[in-house]
Amino acid sequence: AVSPIARDIIETASLVNGAGVGIELARAKHHANDPYFLQPMDGVDSTEYRASWWTQFYCILWRSWLSVLEDPMLVKVRLLQTAMVASLIGSIYFGQVLDQDGVMNINGSLFLFLTNMTFQNVFAVINVLSAELPVFLREKRSRLYRVDTYFLGKTIAELPLFIAVPFVFTSITYPMIGLKAGVSHYLTTLFIVTLVANVSTS
């Protein structure tokens, strides 16, 4: 008896010719049963994408934005969680003064600023990416869109949330800890924390 794998190899070898047409037929036959592969459209070469870069980007951006809007409870939970953690950190380091102990405590609070913004956003993205990975692999192998259009579309669609979370966190902890007063200092801190959050998201 011939095993299924051996039968596939024999069929593939029998299809190969000098022009390489047999290889393409074998690949098409193999992908016909591949759950992560969509069949090519008529009139579209297998080496090209089905749409222009801007069309790909627009469609991914629109789909990602709709997915964000479809789950408003997740946004509310993220913001509430951020406010609770920020209040906890602000309570622990409340009212620091600029002496030797205060400077060390402020260093610790700034460390928590960075670690909280990093890991909170990393875990959020990991959950989303794990759920969307099968769809992404299927559509990418079918050359529906590029990786860069997917990345940019997802990033821009979720950008408001990844700006709102650092804003809530910094607005609560900054005055509670007693960091340097002044709008410019607050905005500088907010800018850095927002950058950290978006870098960890990327």
Side-chain angles (χ1 to χ4, degrees):
V2 180
S3 68
I5 297 177
R7 189 179 301 109
D8 290 342
I9 293 175
I10 293 173
E11 292 177 359
T12 302
S14 64
L15 291 173
V16 175
N17 56 30
V21 176
I23 295 177
E24 295 301 323
L25 292 174
R27 287 177 178 172
K29 183 177 181 180
H30 170 72
H31 288 310
N33 298 322
D34 190 346
Y36 295 111
F37 189 84
L38 297 180
Q39 299 306 311
M41 297 173 60
D42 294 336
V44 179
D45 188 76
S46 60
T47 60
E48 297 178 353
Y49 289 95
R50 302 187 180 198
S52 65
W53 190 95
W54 286 107
T55 303
Q56 297 173 32
F57 172 73
Y58 173 78
C59 292
I60 293 295
L61 177 62
W62 181 250
R63 186 174 71 176
S64 301
W65 179 247
L66 290 180
S67 66
V68 172
L69 295 180
E70 286 175 356
D71 198 359
M73 182 58 64
L74 179 62
V75 176
K76 295 177 182 178
V77 169
R78 287 286 309 278
L79 294 176
L80 179 61
Q81 177 188 12
T82 301
M84 293 175 64
V85 173
S87 300
L88 177 62
I89 295 175
S91 301
I92 294 173
Y93 293 98
F94 184 79
Q96 298 297 318
V97 294
L98 290 179
D99 54 13
Q100 185 173 357
D101 293 334
V103 169
M104 296 299 295
N105 291 334
I106 289 174
N107 285 337
S109 66
L110 294 179
F111 174 77
L112 289 179
F113 264 61
L114 301 180
T115 54
N116 183 71
M117 284 296 99
T118 299
F119 292 108
Q120 178 182 358
N121 293 293
V122 163
F123 291 137
V125 172
I126 287 176
N127 291 331
V128 173
L129 185 60
S130 299
E132 294 186 358
L133 187 59
V135 176
F136 169 75
L137 291 176
R138 183 181 66 218
E139 295 176 345
K140 174 63 177 66
R141 291 174 183 175
S142 301
R143 308 188 73 78
L144 291 179
Y145 48 76
R146 305 169 182 268
V147 177
D148 57 345
T149 55
Y150 176 82
F151 172 79
L152 290 175
K154 289 288 294 181
T155 301
I156 295 176
E158 297 177 356
L159 188 62
L161 178 60
F162 291 117
I163 291 177
V165 168
F167 174 77
V168 171
F169 183 82
T170 306
S171 298
I172 294 175
T173 53
Y174 196 93
M176 289 184 69
I177 295 174
L179 298 177
K180 192 170 184 179
V183 177
S184 61
H185 302 298
Y186 164 77
L187 293 178
T188 302
T189 305
L190 178 60
F191 178 70
I192 294 173
V193 173
T194 303
L195 285 182
V196 170
N198 284 273
V199 167
S200 63
T201 301
S202 300

